[in-house]
Amino acid sequence: NAGVTQTPKFQVLKTGQSMTLQCAQDMNHEYMSWYRQDPGMGLRLIHYSVGAGITDQGEVPNGYNVSRSTTEDFPLRLLSAAPSQTSVYFCASSLSPYNSPLHFGNGTRLTVT
Amino acid sequence: QKEVEQDPGPLSVPEGAIVSLNCTYSNSAFQYFMWYRQYSRKGPELLMYTYSSGNKEDGRFTAQVDKSSKYISLFIRDSQPSDSATYLCAMSSMNSGYSTLTFGKGTMLLVSP
């Protein structure tokens, strides 16, 4: 049981490049989400999904796309990277979207130059 | 006023001390309260999860919720160097029919041997 797995661990992009951050969970969790963590800003919700085929925006969705074709996977796509997207990205999942505690991956550290 | 306020620290204590970590909040709709521990370069991990006002104990950790004062605390007894980490409070409320978590910015704790 690996929990929540994120790849890659580190990534450097140039401005304007696109990439996909991968997230997979093996706990059969219904709810999955993406956060970004910046110094002095805390964890902020980007997008979330309450099940396969269902996604919605969080607090800071601009510049990011998501889709959820399976229960296990929830990739985050950066369409055209900007320096403001330099951050640590965490994927998290929970059993249900109703007041259920989150289980986090170990993050992807992204630098955009 | 931010929804969740948490002193960033750092809080430095000697091994064996009792540690008190606190958060205040402004949104009376918050229903569930959690504490996460985050080691450097790792994802947050759930420590405590509470719903009602009062105390909940788990080993050396005690979570306290005072909904009337909109104040939550985490106490760590007999603190150890391995407790050195950033502690995040988190609170859930319903949003568009699902619950979402709002995090504090975290308090860095340093326990010296």
Side-chain angles (χ1 to χ4, degrees):
Chain A
N1 188 337
V4 178
T5 302
Q6 291 184 238
T7 56
K9 288 186 170 56
F10 303 94
Q11 183 70 50
V12 178
L13 289 178
K14 292 189 187 325
T15 298
Q17 288 185 315
S18 62
M19 79 158 295
T20 300
L21 279 63
Q22 302 291 345
C23 175
Q25 52 92 8
D26 61 359
M27 298 173 283
N28 201 31
H29 281 176
E30 190 177 358
Y31 178 87
M32 295 185 75
S33 54
W34 278 100
Y35 286 83
R36 59 179 289 173
Q37 188 175 39
D38 303 290
M41 301 294 291
L43 283 161
R44 293 181 291 168
L45 182 64
I46 304 171
H47 284 285
Y48 65 93
S49 168
V50 298
I54 307 170
T55 64
D56 205 349
Q57 297 180 350
E59 180 185 354
V60 288
N62 292 341
Y64 308 95
N65 270 1
V66 292
S67 61
R68 187 142 176 230
S69 55
T70 67
T71 301
E72 295 79 19
D73 300 298
F74 190 45
L76 178 73
R77 282 182 289 277
L78 278 69
L79 308 172
S80 176
S84 61
Q85 293 179 305
T86 293
S87 186
V88 182
Y89 291 85
F90 288 101
C91 178
S93 71
S94 65
L95 193 59
S96 90
Y98 304 106
N99 299 312
S100 186
L102 290 173
H103 300 260
F104 284 84
N106 279 325
T108 294
R109 293 182 172 272
L110 175 68
T111 301
V112 182
T113 61
Chain B
Q1 182 187 7
K2 300 255 185 273
E3 277 198 300
V4 179
E5 299 275 6
Q6 186 175 11
D7 188 326
L11 177 61
S12 296
V13 301
E15 183 175 355
I18 296 174
V19 174
S20 172
L21 303 165
N22 312 296
C23 287
T24 59
Y25 62 95
S26 57
N27 187 351
S28 57
F30 286 135
Q31 299 174 327
Y32 289 81
F33 303 89
M34 303 165 207
W35 284 95
Y36 285 83
R37 177 175 62 195
Q38 186 175 21
Y39 290 115
S40 180
R41 296 184 177 268
K42 294 290 188 182
E45 57 177 329
L46 182 70
L47 271 181
M48 301 288 281
Y49 177 73
T50 58
Y51 171 67
S52 59
S53 285
N55 293 353
K56 180 177 180 179
E57 190 173 319
D58 184 0
R60 296 186 295 112
F61 299 91
T62 299
Q64 190 174 78
V65 174
D66 182 347
K67 286 188 178 179
S68 62
S69 300
K70 296 190 180 67
Y71 188 88
I72 69 170
S73 300
L74 178 71
F75 298 97
I76 306 174
R77 289 184 298 281
D78 188 24
S79 56
Q80 302 295 309
S82 59
D83 294 327
S84 297
T86 296
Y87 290 80
L88 306 165
C89 62
M91 311 177 185
S92 75
S93 60
M94 298 302 286
N95 184 16
S96 302
Y98 307 107
S99 63
T100 57
L101 282 185
T102 300
F103 285 85
K105 294 180 182 178
T107 299
M108 181 182 292
L109 172 66
L110 302 170
V111 182
S112 54

